[in-house]
Structures are given as structure tokens and as C-alpha cells.
Amino acid sequence: MSCGFGIVAPVRRLALLLAVLPALMLGCSVGAEDVIPVESVPQLVLQPDDLGNDFRLFDEGRLSNADTPSGARADRDRFGRLEGWKSRYRRPGSAATAGPLVVESRVDLFASSDGAGKDLRAHRGELERAAVGAAATVLEDAPVVGEESVAVTTLQELEPVSVRYFTIAWRERNTTASVLVQGFEGKLKLEDALTLARKQQARLEGADGT
């Protein structure tokens, strides 16, 4: 808003003007919401340097219809969504390999933090519903990533060895992000997923606002 205004008033109105001046000045001091710009999106997912030389990037780019989730988040324009990006990595390994073998990193950018908050709540609902009656658990005690987050682990029982998944989804300003990691049961830990989520969060924190 413009902070320029003129005062042309008789003396008897001086007290009134002095009374409203603080409110006018307060209004002038309120800036626009600090939002991450849409052009930053490709750099807000995990990059090859974040994972190391063992991992190979096998899918990267704008989130497409094939990547769109079901339910409340099926609409690509949901909650004022403007853009989305992904990167997916894998590395060779066996049942004895510790840590992630497959990693997926996503980000969705919205016009406002309010829209991003709605998206995270919808994502949380999807993860919680998926955990009901399935081999999945919402990790209520998981450390918070970004401004608010949710973490879920899933076990896929296979022979000769089961597969463990960790999903961490969170909000930072006007974005929601997620990291999904996959590895063998007993070899993959929540901390492995948190390490990657924090690397992606550092990218979000470092994005210049507008």
C-alpha cells in the first residue's frame, strides 16, 4: 500500500489525526508474505550432490498427471498450486546394503502458505488413512522438519527379505515437500530419511523469498 498522504485539517482535528496515525503507520509497515518464487522449483528437490556418487538419477522433472496422487490432492490446481517438481534416484545393492536404495524427492509450490498448509493436512490425512489396517505406522515422535511435518513407515513383507519404506512430508512457507526412501528391512532407519529430508529442507530455506 502507498504510505504517502497529506494532512489538511483545522487545529480542532489534530487530536483525531494523532489518534489514527499509529494505525496508518502500522498498515504501511506490513509487508507482503514471504513466498518462494515459482522459478526456484527445479532446485528445491534433492540434487545429485545431496546423495553422493553411488546414486543415479533416473527420473527428474515437472510433476505430471501420472505423479498426481488420489483423493483431496488429485486436482493439480488444488489450494492455489502453481508448480511441482520431482527427482528420483537409485543405487545398486543387496539385502546386506545399509541405507536407502531408492529415493524420491518432491516439491509442490502454492500461491500462499495457507494453500501449502491445506495441502500438507490433506497429505497427512492420506498417509493416516493408508496406515489403518495396513503394515504402516504414523511416527508421532519423529522430529519436525520445516514448519510442520508428518512421518510414516511401511513394511512390505516379501521373501526372502522384506522391504522398508519411510515417507516424510512437510511444509516450508508456500511449499510442501516430501522424501520417500526404500531399503531392506533392518538396514534402513528413520534417520536415513531424516538426513535426506533435512538436505532438501536446506534448499527450501535457502530459496529467496519475494
Side-chain angles (χ1 to χ4, degrees):
M1 64 178 288
S2 173
C3 294
F5 53 87
I7 299 177
V8 180
V11 174
R12 63 178 178 271
R13 296 179 57 192
L14 181 59
L16 177 61
L17 287 168
L18 290 175
V20 302
L21 185 58
L24 287 170
M25 295 304 293
L26 178 61
C28 292
S29 65
V30 176
E33 179 184 2
D34 179 25
V35 296
I36 297 173
V38 69
E39 58 267 22
S40 300
V41 166
Q43 298 302 313
L44 301 181
V45 294
L46 289 172
Q47 304 295 311
D49 288 347
D50 296 323
L51 286 96
N53 294 331
D54 290 342
F55 284 88
R56 295 293 179 266
L57 177 67
F58 70 90
D59 187 20
E60 185 266 342
R62 180 172 287 109
L63 290 170
S64 65
N65 289 334
D67 302 306
T68 303
S70 59
R73 302 173 67 236
D75 183 0
R76 296 181 67 186
D77 298 324
R78 65 189 183 274
F79 314 128
R81 179 184 178 276
L82 301 176
E83 182 62 283
W85 211 261
K86 66 188 174 187
S87 62
R88 295 186 175 113
Y89 300 85
R90 61 186 169 209
R91 64 169 173 151
S94 68
T97 304
L101 295 176
V102 179
V103 176
E104 178 187 80
S105 172
R106 293 190 180 209
V107 65
D108 286 284
L109 183 140
F110 299 81
S112 69
S113 59
D114 179 66
K118 291 177 180 177
D119 188 62
L120 181 63
R121 288 190 289 275
H123 197 170
R124 177 189 291 272
E126 291 174 6
L127 293 171
E128 290 175 344
R129 285 190 295 273
V132 176
T137 304
V138 177
L139 303 174
E140 301 290 357
D141 297 331
V144 175
V145 178
E147 297 185 49
E148 50 184 329
S149 63
V150 59
V152 172
T153 185
T154 305
L155 179 65
Q156 184 180 15
E157 296 185 359
L158 299 172
E159 294 293 342
V161 61
S162 297
V163 176
R164 174 67 65 181
Y165 300 83
F166 286 100
T167 300
I168 301 175
W170 70 97
R171 180 183 68 82
E172 171 64 29
R173 286 181 280 174
N174 58 314
T175 65
T176 57
S178 66
V179 164
L180 169 64
V181 300
Q182 171 187 335
F184 287 111
E185 173 65 352
K187 298 298 182 179
L188 182 66
K189 304 179 185 301
L190 173 62
E191 190 59 38
D192 296 319
L194 284 169
T195 296
L196 293 172
R198 287 165 178 154
K199 287 184 177 182
Q200 184 171 348
Q201 169 62 10
R203 291 184 170 278
L204 294 166
E205 290 178 348
D208 290 335
T210 58

